[in-house]
Structure formats: C-alpha cells, structure tokens
C-alpha cells in the first residue's frame, strides 16, 4: 500500500514539475521573442502566438501522457507499451475508464 502511494506521489510531483517547466519555457520564449513578433500590431501575429502556446501545451501534455504510459508498463499494469500508452491517453482525456 505504501509503495503505491509513494509511486502516485512521485508521479504527480513529476507531472507538476514537467508542467511547470514547460510553461516556464513557453513564457521565456514568448518574452524573448516579443520584440520580434509584435503581436499587438497584427491579427496574424496574434493567431501565431496563440497557436504557438496551444501547440506548446499539447507537447507538454504529450510528455506527461507518455510518462504515465511508461509507468503503467514498467510496473506491469499493462502487458505491452502500446497498450499502456493507449490506456494512459484514454485515461488522460475525458473518455476515461
């Protein structure tokens, strides 16, 4: 029981850390490129910034999904990695089990 709680705590902490790190990287990139992008002057630039942020968030979530898929596979909850990744993706989305 304690091992399960420890693993769950570790995974949640790692997920939060990855998410925080990813958001900080996105913010750093946006701040360093703000003078070049000039999103306040163009609708196309605004759409580009929004698209960049959305794709960045998708990438962060993808890393987290793969992390949980690897964890499920490594602890033997699922027989192969493909099934573990599928289970992780379905569980992560609103489909759930």
């Amino acid at each position: 029981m304690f091992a399960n709680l420890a693993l769950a705590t570790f995974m949640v902490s790692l997920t939060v850390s990855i998410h925080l790190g990813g958001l900080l990287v996105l913010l750093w990139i946006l701040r360093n490129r703000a003078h070049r992008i000039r999103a306040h002057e163009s609708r196309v630039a605004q759409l580009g910034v929004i698209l960049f942020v959305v794709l960045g968030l998708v990438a962060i979530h993808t890393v987290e999904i793969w992390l949980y898929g690897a964890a499920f596979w490594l602890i033997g909850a699922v027989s192969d990695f493909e099934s573990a990744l599928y289970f992780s993706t379905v569980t992560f989305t609103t489909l759930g089990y």
Side-chain angles (χ1 to χ4, degrees):
M1 179 73 168
F2 179 75
N4 290 340
L5 289 174
L7 178 61
T9 301
F10 173 74
M11 290 299 293
V12 169
S13 299
L14 191 57
T15 302
V16 169
S17 298
I18 289 170
H19 211 85
L20 175 63
L23 290 176
L24 290 175
V25 167
L26 286 175
L27 186 60
W28 180 79
I29 291 170
L30 289 172
R31 284 185 176 171
N32 284 338
R33 303 286 186 232
H35 64 282
R36 292 184 190 166
I37 297 171
R38 297 183 180 169
H40 61 282
E41 295 178 3
S42 166
R43 294 264 187 225
V44 174
Q46 290 174 356
L47 291 174
V49 168
I50 292 171
L51 183 62
F52 173 76
V53 170
V54 168
L55 291 177
L57 290 170
V58 168
I60 293 168
H61 285 106
T62 300
V63 169
E64 294 166 356
I65 289 169
W66 278 69
L67 175 71
Y68 274 89
F72 292 140
W73 182 55
L74 290 173
I75 66 171
V78 182
S79 60
D80 59 303
F81 183 70
E82 184 179 345
S83 297
L85 187 59
Y86 177 78
F87 177 76
S88 177
T89 304
V90 169
T91 304
F92 194 84
T93 62
T94 57
L95 296 176
Y97 274 96

